[in-house]
Amino acid sequence: MAEVSLDIDASIADVWNVLADGWSYAGWVVGASHIRAVDTGWPKPGTRIHHSVGPWPLVIQDTTEVVRCEAPGLLELDARLWPVGAARIAFTLRARSEAVTALRMTETVVRGPSAYLPQFAQDLLLIPRNRESLQRLAALAGGRA
């Protein structure tokens, strides 16, 4: 499991609002290039973001589905990217103070060819990407605050 965390200078509500805005994902998830649709009710379990990944015109179109949502403390997703595979991603939020939120992101490859990569190889790919994603999310949350 690849894990990264970051203390964000924004309230837990401001950080949650970015996670709960499915249309914002292309703005902070590294690799996401376009959000095509967001199901009504996002982020209720079972709702999906319909996204494109990669540089145009070589994009892959797939979906990310909410597995579990406990606002404003937990969001768990099943992110698909066929033919590469799929991952379970969890965001855990904890208020350190009224103005600082601890955000932890874990990602585990669960299906597809990528699941056969050794864990250290997965970590080499996922940890820097996820660290940058959290930095981008922090900028959005701080800007909305």
Side-chain angles (χ1 to χ4, degrees):
M1 172 174 54
E3 181 178 323
V4 295
S5 58
L6 182 66
D7 284 347
I8 298 175
D9 291 327
S11 70
I12 195 168
D14 289 328
V15 175
W16 180 259
N17 286 340
V18 175
L19 288 172
D21 177 3
W23 290 103
S24 76
Y25 278 57
W28 62 269
V29 175
V30 173
S33 58
H34 179 67
I35 303 301
R36 301 184 322 276
V38 177
D39 289 356
T40 302
W42 173 272
K44 289 182 189 173
T47 59
R48 297 178 297 164
I49 294 174
H50 306 263
H51 54 76
S52 302
V53 177
W56 184 89
L58 305 173
V59 295
I60 298 171
Q61 297 184 359
D62 220 323
T63 60
T64 292
E65 183 175 336
V66 178
V67 175
R68 194 165 134 207
C69 178
E70 297 174 10
L74 175 71
L75 182 62
E76 188 174 343
L77 307 172
D78 184 69
R80 295 173 32 119
L81 184 59
W82 281 130
V84 178
R88 186 62 54 97
I89 302 168
F91 297 94
T92 307
L93 296 81
R94 185 171 53 84
R96 288 203 184 275
S97 69
E98 288 185 22
V100 177
T101 302
L103 177 59
R104 182 177 68 129
M105 176 183 184
T106 60
E107 183 168 1
T108 306
V109 179
V110 292
R111 296 186 304 281
S114 296
Y116 295 104
L117 287 173
Q119 188 61 51
F120 77 89
Q122 292 181 33
D123 289 350
L124 283 173
L125 297 170
L126 296 175
I127 289 175
R129 172 187 171 269
N130 292 350
R131 191 173 289 127
E132 175 62 22
S133 291
L134 290 191
Q135 291 288 340
R136 294 177 185 190
L137 188 152
L140 284 174
R144 291 180 178 194

